[in-house]
Amino acid sequence: MWITGQFVFLLLVALVAAKTKTSAVQDDIAEYKDFKKLLRTKNNVLALYVTSAKAAAAELKVFREAAEAVRGTGTMLLLDCGQQDRKKLCKKLKVSPEPYAIKHYKDGDFHKDYDRQLSVSSMITFMRDPSGDLPWEEDPAGKDVLHFSDAASFTKHLRKDIRPMLVMFYVPWCGFCKKMKPDYGKAATELKNKGGYILAAMNVERQENAPIRKMFNITGFPTLIYFENGKLRFTYEGENNKDALVSFMLNPNAKPTPKPKEPEWSADTNSEIVHLTSQGFEPALKDEKSALVMFYAPWCGHCKRMKPEYEKAALEMKQKKIPGLLAALDATKEPSIAEKYKVKGYPTVKFFSNGVFKFEVNVREASKIVEFMRDPKEPPPPPPPEKSWEEEEDSKEVLFLDDDNFSSTLKRKKHALVMFYAPWCGHCKHTKPEFTAAATALQDDPRIAFVAIDCTKLAALCAKYNVRGYPTILYFSYLKTKLDYNGGRTSKDFIAYMNNPPSSADRTEL
């Protein structure tokens, strides 16, 4: 009887716990004022509108799974427009789900309709960067490209598949990568139809792929590497179009057709730009009261984008008789001049008056260049650089660890809350003062530690703990157990959590 009674008691406890466990999906909004309040307090909201939970059961299942993964990163809201008290709200918001509609709200306002695949991974990717481009692996044009999500899937493929494979290592913001993607996708389709060849791709901007970037010494994008029998053979140096890619894969040992050499900018006889050399630099500028000099490198993508704007500005100045000179200098050919004027990146634009350098100017569009040359004035000094979190005076109770002391420190702490962040991340900036305040409030408890890890500096450490978004907050106990922190991000939330940390039953063994 005692065993039966104990079993019933434990079953009741489990049922109560299951009922009281909070859902990651918020479904308690029925009034318009509450909806607007939610948008004011949450800056990243994905709302699923349904005619009924039954009619959109499959979509709701995906939505709930994604919500669990993005706790702390964004808010997932469910509005059942079939319920009597929700109908008025859906009508006011002008939403008519058939049987569902998904809309995103950002910084208090409607942002866009959800336009990605209806899958958990797609929703997670979207919520981590709602304004980002459609991921290549979700683009129908790239359906025949084999996309590796992480280093593990890549190395596993190399061990098991010996077919010839070309891998494009890229980052989403790279202009040359974007330009090449359509041809790469078409080549992948053609080669798939021929059989026995693979065109693959990997986004190496993701933290979890940092080891691959380091392994193959990838410093420029895109980088294309050819593998055969699971082994690296060489880097692809051919042209970035469909026909060249297909020809290469069919005969990788053939000498690639050299890329056509771009004509030098200075060879353009129709240009209104004065091209300078080390010998003619001072003579060309000494009699010009207003002269703008663009220091560039022929291979620089930003320079190539600025070039037509610079040409357009020079032509407009000539037509409107605006005094001044627009000049350019190839810093790769004239390194002594570039070094003299401390040019460290391209393009760098500097203003000279009668041959004397005055100040640097950040103008790249034709209209801005012409506007500046009408009335050249030194721009206001830039604001002082933002202090790093570690340098802030009130952050002394937060531990800023690295590869050398992370494990040894956490092994001595019964309760440690670790925030993996990036300095540029807006959500991290909002969370920092709250995290710092909690660390200060609990500073007298030697068992507790609040730890911060800068993932832009410690990529390998962040990859080790599968950090894929910022901030990611994890709870550790003596480094033996780990748990995702999915609570609120105020100092009160952090303090309450650390004063009542999860029981051993809730923890994950490392």
Side-chain angles (χ1 to χ4, degrees):
M1 287 295 294
W2 182 84
I3 294 176
T4 304
Q6 185 188 45
F7 175 77
V8 171
F9 173 75
L10 291 174
L11 182 61
L12 287 172
V13 169
L15 288 172
V16 170
K19 286 185 178 181
T20 56
K21 185 180 178 182
T22 58
S23 170
V25 174
Q26 188 167 341
D27 59 2
D28 57 350
I29 301 293
E31 299 290 334
Y32 183 70
K33 63 178 182 178
D34 294 329
F35 179 81
K36 296 302 287 185
K37 182 180 178 181
L38 176 72
L39 297 192
R40 286 197 303 271
T41 56
K42 304 293 184 181
N43 59 7
N44 183 17
V45 178
L46 191 65
L48 172 64
Y49 299 85
V50 299
T51 53
S52 71
K54 183 178 181 180
E59 292 79 14
L60 185 54
K61 181 176 183 295
V62 171
F63 196 74
R64 291 190 186 283
E65 287 185 36
E68 291 293 338
V70 300
R71 276 183 189 258
T73 300
T75 301
M76 307 287 269
L77 173 67
L78 172 65
L79 279 169
D80 189 339
C81 298
Q83 293 182 2
Q84 193 61 38
D85 59 344
R86 269 46 168 199
K87 283 183 179 179
K88 186 177 178 181
L89 176 58
C90 294
K91 186 176 180 180
K92 189 170 182 63
L93 294 173
K94 297 179 180 178
V95 180
S96 302
E98 295 179 357
Y100 72 94
I102 306 176
K103 296 181 179 291
H104 185 256
Y105 301 84
K106 184 173 181 284
D107 299 326
D109 291 309
F110 172 72
H111 174 222
K112 64 188 292 188
D113 288 317
Y114 178 77
D115 56 359
R116 305 286 179 85
Q117 292 178 1
L118 193 65
S119 68
V120 175
S121 60
S122 294
M123 281 192 179
I124 293 171
T125 301
F126 176 82
M127 288 298 282
R128 286 174 176 167
D129 186 12
S131 300
D133 294 332
L134 178 72
W136 193 9
E137 58 268 27
E138 295 184 24
D139 188 340
K143 62 182 175 60
D144 293 319
V145 176
L146 175 61
H147 294 274
F148 294 115
S149 59
D150 51 37
S153 62
F154 174 67
T155 52
K156 181 180 179 180
H157 179 90
L158 286 181
R159 288 197 302 269
K160 293 190 173 183
D161 198 327
I162 62 171
R163 288 178 293 171
M165 179 173 68
L166 187 65
V167 184
M168 176 175 162
F169 298 96
Y170 71 98
V171 289
W173 47 260
C174 160
F176 293 109
C177 305
K178 291 179 181 179
K179 187 176 180 181
M180 185 178 178
K181 283 178 182 179
D183 274 280
Y184 200 77
K186 290 174 184 175
T189 300
E190 186 169 327
L191 288 164
K192 180 181 178 181
N193 294 333
K194 293 179 182 296
Y197 306 95
I198 301 173
L199 289 196
M202 177 183 277
N203 177 1
V204 289
E205 186 182 45
R206 294 174 182 165
Q207 289 292 336
E208 60 268 30
N209 293 336
I212 293 294
R213 194 165 169 173
K214 186 176 181 181
M215 180 188 299
F216 296 116
N217 192 30
I218 298 168
T219 56
F221 307 105
T223 292
L224 285 83
I225 300 179
Y226 176 68
F227 296 83
E228 206 172 82
N229 295 319
K231 306 291 184 184
L232 184 154
R233 286 281 309 278
F234 42 71
T235 300
Y236 174 77
E237 300 290 351
E239 292 188 65
N240 296 344
N241 59 57
K242 179 186 77 74
D243 292 338
L245 289 165
V246 171
S247 296
F248 168 80
M249 291 300 289
L250 295 177
N251 188 8
N253 295 313
K255 189 175 180 180
T257 304
K259 297 178 184 179
K261 189 177 180 182
E262 292 185 26
E264 292 187 10
W265 188 8
S266 58
D268 185 356
T269 56
N270 295 317
S271 175
E272 295 295 336
I273 304 298
V274 175
H275 290 272
L276 304 174
T277 62
S278 55
Q279 290 80 16
F281 192 86
E282 292 180 3
L285 300 183
K286 71 176 183 176
D287 295 326
E288 291 289 345
K289 185 179 179 181
S290 300
L292 216 52
V293 181
M294 173 183 167
F295 295 83
Y296 72 97
W299 45 260
C300 158
H302 294 297
C303 304
K304 290 178 180 178
R305 283 190 286 275
M306 181 179 170
K307 176 183 167 184
E309 295 291 314
Y310 206 51
E311 291 277 11
K312 183 180 176 182
L315 185 60
E316 186 175 340
M317 286 175 61
K318 180 182 178 181
Q319 292 169 344
K320 295 181 179 180
K321 298 182 179 179
I322 300 171
L325 174 73
L326 296 191
L329 181 131
D330 183 344
T332 64
K333 285 188 174 181
E334 308 290 352
S336 60
I337 299 293
E339 186 177 344
K340 179 180 178 180
Y341 291 103
K342 298 178 181 178
V343 174
K344 296 180 179 178
Y346 309 117
T348 292
V349 183
K350 294 179 180 284
F351 179 73
F352 291 78
S353 181
N354 298 116
V356 178
F357 167 64
K358 294 296 182 180
F359 48 81
E360 201 164 300
V361 187
N362 185 23
V363 288
R364 295 190 183 182
E365 296 88 25
S367 59
K368 298 291 185 183
I369 296 167
V370 173
E371 181 184 339
F372 170 80
M373 291 300 285
R374 284 183 188 275
D375 185 19
K377 287 182 180 178
E378 184 172 4
E386 191 176 316
K387 281 186 177 180
S388 69
W389 189 5
E390 193 169 358
E391 293 172 331
E392 294 174 7
E393 292 181 8
D394 60 352
S395 65
K396 60 183 179 180
E397 302 306 330
V398 177
L399 300 180
F400 295 89
L401 304 180
D402 54 31
D403 293 313
D404 296 328
N405 56 17
F406 182 84
S407 296
S408 59
T409 301
L410 264 63
K411 282 178 180 177
R412 300 195 301 271
K413 295 295 178 181
K414 186 173 183 179
H415 308 297
L417 205 58
V418 183
M419 177 172 158
F420 297 87
Y421 73 100
W424 46 260
C425 158
H427 295 299
C428 304
K429 290 178 180 179
H430 290 307
T431 307
K432 276 164 52 178
E434 302 294 332
F435 197 79
T436 298
T440 302
L442 298 178
Q443 62 180 301
D444 294 330
D445 190 334
R447 303 170 304 162
I448 293 176
F450 284 78
V451 179
I453 299 296
D454 183 348
C455 289
T456 63
K457 295 179 179 178
L458 301 163
L461 183 59
C462 295
K464 179 179 178 181
Y465 291 103
N466 201 30
V467 175
R468 298 187 178 184
Y470 308 119
T472 291
I473 303 174
L474 301 179
Y475 167 82
F476 292 87
S477 178
Y478 296 124
L479 201 64
K480 292 181 179 179
T481 54
K482 174 180 77 74
L483 188 70
D484 291 335
Y485 173 82
N486 294 316
R489 294 187 184 177
T490 68
S491 58
K492 290 181 180 179
D493 293 323
F494 293 134
I495 292 168
Y497 184 89
M498 294 302 273
N499 281 333
N500 186 25
S503 66
S504 58
D506 297 323
R507 300 176 188 169
T508 301
E509 291 291 334
L510 291 173

